[in-house]
Amino acid sequence: MSTTDSRATAATSRPAGVNRLRKDAVGLLGVIFMAVATAAPITAMTGNVPIALGFGNGLGVPAGYLVATIVLTVFSVGYVAMAKHITSAGAFYGYISHGLGQIAGMVAGLLATMAYVVFEASIIGFFAYSASDTFKSLAHVDVHWLWFAFFGLALNAALTYFDINLTAKVLGVFLVTEILMLGLTATVTLFHGGGPDGLMAGSLNPVNAFGTNGLAAGAVGLGLFMCFWSWVGFESTAMYGEESRDPKRIVPRATLVSVVGIGLFYTFVSWMTVAASGTKAPEIAAKEFAGVFFNPTRELIGVWAVDLFKILILTGSFACSMAFHNCASRYLYALGREDLIPGTARTLGRTHAKHGSPHIAGFAQTAVSVVLVLAFFFAGMDPYVHMYTLLAVLGTLAILVVQSLCSFSVIGYFHVKKKHPETAGVWRTLVAPLAGGLAMLYVVFLLFQNQEAAAGDASKTLLFRLIPWIVLGFAAAGAALALYLRARKPLKYDIIGRIVLEETVERD
């Protein structure tokens, strides 16, 4: 964008008095911590690997994670190209608005916001269930899950009210401990030479991700989807660009480090999990679920390690919920500061005078999560079977659609609108985004194909049947709002997704 065009855009569309997030608040390591905490390694491994092992691609699970690593790395190529020029707390919202236009941007903004809003309540359900079970088994104290849910939500609201550095430090501690725990069992298994069938290196062969050689235990598509599901949240690196010290460098690096680092770690841990139990791993996973992790840990390290494992699952799920609270707050803030709905700039779009945090958006996010938790409680639903599963499937479907749009927006931005030719390239901004977008659409197909299996017993509920319609409804609402603004309030329409770090001016 030329200087003249930038000034013209800013002059016509910049809202007065935009409240900013705190600049230079967090560095590369802090952004990586928050992104990886959102992906929640210990929750992803103990929650998703047993399902994929027992009911999905079976012994091909490690290969599934390897394939997912490759696909998401390709997706990230175009994503980080956009990050070099656009820095927005709205991430996907800003990217898609610049690449595909304001209507698609508004659709993506509402879908992504809804996804991150429900993700916090989903993970809080898992946290509350784990906390109640852990206290009962280790401390012999029976506390209803609802109290743990309220405690988790209150702590999230308090911690994210302050400087983002506090959140980064808390998440960093939790993240390091859960990675050490998963890595400990996996490393001991490796040096032990695996289990009864050795290291089973064949489970890493990418072709086995698709159930070849009779390795699948059930629906291959379910296994692949569970692998991709384990990454949800890695893209949150872009949300912290406005608060990072050098977003042009930090966001691209943090994204690639998160994707590749998480992927290699997931592949290693899932490989060692399969190797530890051998060819009986799918059978054990189907019957004992987390037993595929706890049994080898007990045998190779000791009972104390299993107890520690359970505690770290608890703290890891809490860290994940806190990370999603941050994501949701920043999306609500990004939408609010544009004042598309009168009054939101003075509420959701405000930041704390001292801490620079989106504190009002954070409190609004907490209020929504409380309502969701209470709705499941009064409906007599289980925090794990229903709240965690249903809201996770709902949010994942929405975010996968948005990720697909984001890939295509890279092509629109660099090749249709011909922005920043110095960055554009056939591989980086055309082939890789196209391949990534098509791959994301395939994952959406996998979710539709296997959603009943992914939801388990929760698939019998009315909410499960409404999930596709809820996503469609938010998409339609976004399109309708954008069309209304274009017809009635063109100045507001012009700024949809356009408030970035340097107001509406893109970086050179």
Side-chain angles (χ1 to χ4, degrees), residues 131-153:
S132 180
D133 182 66
T134 301
F135 270 71
K136 190 181 299 182
S137 62
L138 298 184
H140 307 291
V141 177
D142 191 1
V143 181
H144 195 278
W145 68 264
L146 186 63
W147 295 113
F148 288 111
F150 285 155
F151 170 76
L153 292 175

Side-chain angles (χ1 to χ4, degrees), residues 21 34-35 37-38 89 116-117 120 155-157 159-168 170-171 236 239-240 243 318-333 357-358 361-362 365-366:
L21 296 166
M34 286 183 285
T38 310
Y116 288 114
V117 165
E120 182 185 7
L155 195 54
N156 281 344
L159 289 171
T160 54
Y161 173 84
F162 296 101
D163 185 341
I164 195 172
N165 253 318
L166 176 61
T167 300
V170 173
L171 290 179
S236 63
M239 298 178 202
Y240 302 105
E243 297 159 275
F318 170 72
C320 180
S321 72
M322 191 198 311
F324 276 126
H325 179 91
N326 272 280
C327 294
S329 300
R330 278 153 183 77
Y331 261 102
L332 289 170
Y333 158 77
S357 62
Q365 165 60 20
T366 299

Side-chain angles (χ1 to χ4, degrees), residues 207-498:
V207 299
N208 291 331
F210 305 94
T212 58
N213 301 324
L215 297 182
V220 173
L222 173 63
L224 283 172
F225 168 69
M226 298 308 293
C227 292
F228 278 95
W229 190 358
S230 302
W231 262 271
V232 169
F234 81 88
E235 71 288 338
S236 63
T237 51
M239 298 178 202
Y240 302 105
E242 294 187 27
E243 297 159 275
S244 66
R245 298 191 184 108
D246 186 359
K248 188 173 182 177
R249 292 174 177 270
I250 282 180
V251 172
R253 289 179 181 178
T255 302
L256 289 175
V257 169
S258 298
V259 171
V260 177
I262 291 172
L264 294 177
F265 185 70
Y266 282 171
T267 302
F268 175 60
V269 171
S270 61
W271 173 32
M272 289 299 101
T273 301
V274 168
S277 299
T279 55
K280 292 185 178 180
E283 181 183 344
I284 295 171
K287 292 180 179 179
E288 300 181 44
F289 205 63
V292 289
F293 290 95
F294 295 157
N295 294 344
T297 301
R298 183 182 297 108
E299 292 170 8
L300 297 175
I301 304 174
V303 175
W304 66 268
V306 175
D307 293 339
L308 179 59
F309 210 134
K310 292 179 180 179
I311 293 171
L312 291 177
I313 289 175
L314 175 61
T315 58
S317 59
F318 170 72
C320 180
S321 72
M322 191 198 311
F324 276 126
H325 179 91
N326 272 280
C327 294
S329 300
R330 278 153 183 77
Y331 261 102
L332 289 170
Y333 158 77
L335 290 172
R337 69 182 178 182
E338 293 181 354
D339 204 30
L340 302 178
I341 299 174
T344 51
R346 296 190 301 273
T347 53
L348 296 178
R350 282 181 57 195
T351 55
H352 194 279
K354 178 181 179 182
H355 304 299
S357 62
H359 60 304
I360 296 179
F363 289 143
Q365 165 60 20
T366 299
V368 173
S369 295
V370 168
V371 170
L372 288 173
V373 168
L374 288 175
F376 278 89
F377 170 71
F378 286 118
M381 292 185 173
D382 185 82
Y384 176 74
V385 174
H386 298 105
M387 185 161 71
Y388 166 66
T389 305
L390 289 172
L391 294 182
V393 171
L394 170 60
T396 300
L397 175 58
I399 212 67
L400 287 173
V401 171
V402 175
Q403 285 181 348
S404 302
L405 289 174
C406 186
S407 287
F408 300 129
S409 74
V410 176
I411 299 172
Y413 184 75
F414 289 103
H415 296 280
V416 178
K417 296 187 176 182
K418 300 189 182 302
K419 297 293 186 81
H420 299 286
E422 74 281 4
T423 299
V426 174
W427 162 250
R428 182 192 298 180
T429 58
L430 181 60
V431 176
L434 179 61
L438 293 175
M440 289 297 104
L441 289 177
Y442 175 64
V443 180
V444 173
F445 168 74
L446 288 179
L447 175 54
F448 270 109
Q449 189 180 46
N450 300 279
Q451 57 182 335
E452 288 192 16
D457 290 342
S459 63
K460 302 179 178 65
T461 63
L462 174 62
L463 178 56
F464 173 79
R465 294 193 293 273
L466 291 176
I467 284 175
W469 298 103
I470 293 172
V471 173
L472 184 61
F474 271 89
L481 177 58
L483 290 170
Y484 168 78
L485 292 174
R486 186 174 69 177
R488 298 296 181 89
K489 299 180 180 180
L491 290 181
K492 286 194 172 184
Y493 174 81
D494 287 343
I495 65 168
I496 290 176
R498 292 303 203 268

Side-chain angles (χ1 to χ4, degrees), residues 151-224:
F151 170 76
L153 292 175
L155 195 54
N156 281 344
L159 289 171
T160 54
Y161 173 84
F162 296 101
D163 185 341
I164 195 172
N165 253 318
L166 176 61
T167 300
K169 289 174 182 176
V170 173
L171 290 179
V173 172
F174 287 153
L175 181 62
V176 169
T177 54
E178 64 181 277
I179 287 177
L180 287 175
M181 186 70 251
L182 287 168
L184 175 62
T185 301
T187 303
V188 170
T189 301
L190 176 65
F191 283 104
H192 192 263
D197 300 297
L199 290 175
M200 301 181 67
S203 62
L204 289 171
N205 188 337
V207 299
N208 291 331
F210 305 94
T212 58
N213 301 324
L215 297 182
V220 173
L222 173 63
L224 283 172

